[in-house]
Every structure is written in C-alpha cells, then in structure tokens.
Amino acid sequence: MTSEPSPAAPAAPPPVPAPVATEAGTAAPASPLAPAHAAAPRGAGVSPGLWLAWLLAAAGLVVGLLLWQKLTGMQEQLARQSREAGTQSVEARTLARQAEEGVRDMAGKVAALDARLAELAAYRAQLDELVHSVARARDENLAVDLEAALRLAQDQTQLTGSVEPLLAALRTAERRLARSSDPRLAPVGRAVARDLERVKSASIPDAAGLLARLDQLLRQVDDLPAANEVPHARSAPATTAPAAAAESAWGRLWQSVRDEAQGLLRVSRIERPEASMLSPEQVFFVRENLKLRLQGARLALLARQYEAARADLTAAAMSLGTWFDPASRRTQAAATLLQQVQASTRSAELPRVDDSLVALGQAVATAHTVPGTR
C-alpha cells in the first residue's frame, strides 16, 4: 500500500508593484505589463514550504516504494505458501483416499474375522456342551456304578455274614469319589465316609458258636421235664438193704405199700395253672413246638436275619419258662444257654449302607432333573 504525496504549498501572491517616483514629485503607478523579473527584487529564492513539500513527496515516494516491495514479497510468499498448501492438500487427499481404501479393506477383514470368531465361538460352545455332556454322563455312570456295587456288596454281606465285601466296596467308592470333581457327589462322599466308619465299628457275632449252642439246645429238649410231670420213685438207700433183707415178709409188704402211697400224692407250686392241665400228648406237641422255634432261630441266623432269630428265641424262652419245670436242673441249664444265645444275637446286626444309597439316588435324580448344570 502506497501513500499519496501531500499537495504542494500554495504559491505566494505576486508582489504589488511599488509606485515609481517622477521628476515632478508625484508618483506614477507602475505598469502592470512590466515583466515579473524586472519587478521582483534581486536576491529572492525558492520558499521553504516548497522545499518541505518536495521533501515530503520524496519521503512518501520512498515509503511507497518500500511498502510496495514489502507487499510484493508478501504476495510472493503467500503464493509460495499457497502452492505448498495446494501440494500438501493434494498429498493429504491422496493419503486420505489411500487411508479410506485401507479402512475399507480393514473393515472387510474385521468382518471376516468377526464371522470366523462367531464360528469359533459356536464351535467352542458345541465343544463345551459336548464336554459337559460327557462329564455329566461320566458322573451319572459313576453314581449308578457305585450304587450297584454297594447294593451287591450289601447282599454279599447279608449272605456270608462277613463285612469284608461291604468294606471293599465302600473303600473303592471313597477313592473314586475323591477323584471326581462333580460338586453333586460331595454329599455322597460324606455319606460313604460315615457308612465306612460304621461298618468298621460293627460287631458281628460268631455264627458258628451260636449254631452249636442251638444244636445243643435242640438235643436237650427231649430230656426237659414238663411242669406237671411226676418224678420217678426213688430207690431205697443201699445202707438199708441188709436191714430190709432181715425183716420179715410183713415188713417188706408194709414198706412197699408206704412207698406206693407216697408216690400217689405230690405237692408242688406251679406258676401257670394251665401247665398243670397238660396231657402227655400235649407235652409232646409242646416239645415239638419248642424245637420248631429253635429250628426257626437257627435258620434265621444262617440267613443273617437277626430280627427273626431274636423273635424265635424270645418265643422259645417263653415256652421254656411256661411249660417246663423251672426247678429242674436241666431246665435251668437250657434256660441259661438260651439266654446266652439271646444276648449274642441282641447286639448282632449286619451294617447297612442306606445313607450312601440314598445320597447316590439323590445325585442321579439331580443329574436327570437339571441337565444343564454340572
């Protein structure tokens, strides 16, 4: 931008011509047509205002030239920057286009990867479901196998009277449950541990000894005196044999009559009045009934049915105390032997694993009702 030069100072007014003196003493007016340089006084120069105006004009011209040069430089710089900006804009558009193409390619690749990831997720879900189903089937089979093994061992224990099959089955079940990671089988493990401790502490009676005692009782039944049985006449003491031989025939007759009279009458105490009314035929059936009770107890012991054995032994004890002479030594010995057998069978009970079987049944039922959990 240039500044215009300031206007020059106004020219000075022309000098007024002075009056010219004449010889007559009067002043004649100066002719206006006289030349200016003749009228101007000598030695007069250019005015200072004109010089100042010229100086200001020159300064303005220099300043204008400088501003023009500066403006030209700025225009050139702006043009150069505009060209550079245009070049950079073209490059930026090219890079943006390339970036957009790269983004589209990457978007396609990401979409393909997403599809592949979805397929892999589906495959993994199917694999997990397959693994879970296999694990559930394994756990269900484990529970079913353990239940079958425990039932078989319990039946073997009932048949043989030995707890060794049950102990072996419980130890095997405990080891297999310890290796399983299914939380549903944790209650089964606790139940198996309790049953194992109970089986270890169980007391099994001597079946052979009990059977021998029952056989002894069976042999003694026929020799047991009934409650209303008349005892045999006692023979005379041996010390009186010489005296009896020395007596007369009348004395021997009197002795025999007296012995017969004493055998006709016997005074005894009978606790149950119905026992005194037994006939010999009824005594026979009472003995046979007692034998049947003892035989039933023997068979129950062989079958490990201790509850039935205890019931038969109790009935045999009642029959022995009711229909047979309690004062007889044979009856007392038989009663003592029967009490020993009863005491041995009272605490005899084969252990059972009902807790483990119930826990296994609940685990199998849970596996069937909740198939989605493990």
Side-chain angles (χ1 to χ4, degrees):
M1 181 178 182
T2 59
S3 61
E4 297 181 357
S6 60
V16 179
V20 179
T22 63
E23 295 180 356
T26 59
S31 177
L33 298 177
H37 58 83
R42 294 181 180 180
V46 181
S47 63
L50 185 58
W51 286 103
L52 181 61
W54 283 106
L55 288 175
L56 291 175
L61 182 59
V62 171
V63 171
L65 290 174
L66 293 175
L67 291 175
W68 177 258
Q69 290 179 356
K70 186 175 181 181
L71 180 60
T72 302
M74 292 177 64
Q75 287 177 353
E76 292 176 355
Q77 185 178 2
L78 289 175
R80 185 170 58 253
Q81 290 180 355
S82 178
R83 288 194 299 272
E84 293 177 355
T87 303
Q88 292 178 357
S89 177
V90 172
E91 294 177 355
R93 284 197 296 271
T94 303
L95 293 176
R97 189 178 302 108
Q98 294 176 356
E100 185 177 359
E101 294 176 356
V103 167
R104 284 197 296 269
D105 294 340
M106 291 301 296
K109 292 180 180 180
V110 168
L113 289 176
D114 289 340
R116 185 63 177 171
L117 183 61
E119 293 178 0
L120 291 176
Y123 292 154
R124 182 176 179 179
Q126 293 177 0
L127 183 61
D128 291 341
E129 183 64 25
L130 180 61
V131 171
H132 290 168
S133 62
V134 171
R136 287 196 301 271
R138 183 192 62 189
D139 295 333
E140 292 175 8
N141 293 335
L142 175 61
V144 173
D145 292 344
L146 291 180
E147 185 177 4
L150 289 179
R151 290 188 183 278
L152 180 60
Q154 185 167 285
D155 293 339
Q156 290 178 352
T157 300
Q158 293 290 336
L159 290 174
T160 60
S162 175
V163 296
E164 292 302 324
L166 201 56
L167 284 175
L170 287 173
R171 291 193 180 100
T172 303
E174 189 176 24
R175 287 195 299 269
R176 296 182 65 181
L177 289 172
R179 291 194 299 267
S180 177
S181 59
D182 190 358
R184 294 173 301 178
L185 297 180
V188 180
R190 293 192 291 269
V192 167
R194 291 195 300 269
D195 287 338
L196 184 60
E197 293 298 328
R198 185 165 58 251
V199 170
K200 287 181 181 179
S201 60
S203 60
I204 305 300
D206 184 12
L210 292 178
L211 294 177
R213 293 178 183 178
L214 287 176
D215 292 338
Q216 184 179 355
L217 277 174
L218 286 171
R219 289 192 299 268
Q220 293 178 2
V221 170
D222 293 331
D223 297 333
L224 295 178
N228 62 348
E229 184 177 350
V230 178
H232 298 288
R234 296 178 181 178
S235 60
T239 55
T240 61
E247 290 180 356
S248 61
W250 290 103
R252 289 195 298 272
L253 180 61
W254 170 251
Q255 184 67 31
S256 62
V257 171
R258 189 179 63 180
D259 292 339
E260 290 294 334
Q262 289 179 354
L264 292 177
L265 180 63
R266 182 172 63 93
V267 179
S268 62
R269 180 181 180 84
I270 299 177
E271 297 294 337
R272 295 180 177 272
E274 61 271 15
S276 61
M277 305 299 294
L278 287 176
S279 63
E281 292 81 5
Q282 291 175 340
V283 171
F284 171 78
F285 288 112
V286 166
R287 294 181 190 277
E288 293 300 321
N289 187 24
L290 180 58
K291 290 180 181 180
L292 289 176
R293 289 294 185 180
L294 294 176
Q295 288 286 355
R298 191 175 188 278
L299 292 176
L301 288 176
L302 287 174
R304 305 298 187 275
Q305 300 294 330
Y306 294 103
E307 190 67 28
R310 283 193 290 267
D312 288 334
L313 290 174
T314 301
M318 292 179 62
S319 177
L320 185 63
T322 303
W323 307 110
F324 295 94
D325 187 9
S328 175
R329 293 182 178 179
R330 293 179 180 179
T331 305
Q332 293 175 359
T336 303
L337 191 59
L338 187 58
Q339 289 177 0
Q340 293 176 359
V341 175
Q342 283 183 309
S344 298
T345 57
R346 187 175 295 112
S347 60
E349 187 67 34
L350 287 176
R352 300 181 61 85
V353 289
D354 295 335
D355 294 344
S356 299
L357 294 176
V358 170
L360 286 170
Q362 291 177 355
V364 173
T366 304
H368 286 295
T369 55
V370 189
T373 59
R374 183 179 183 272

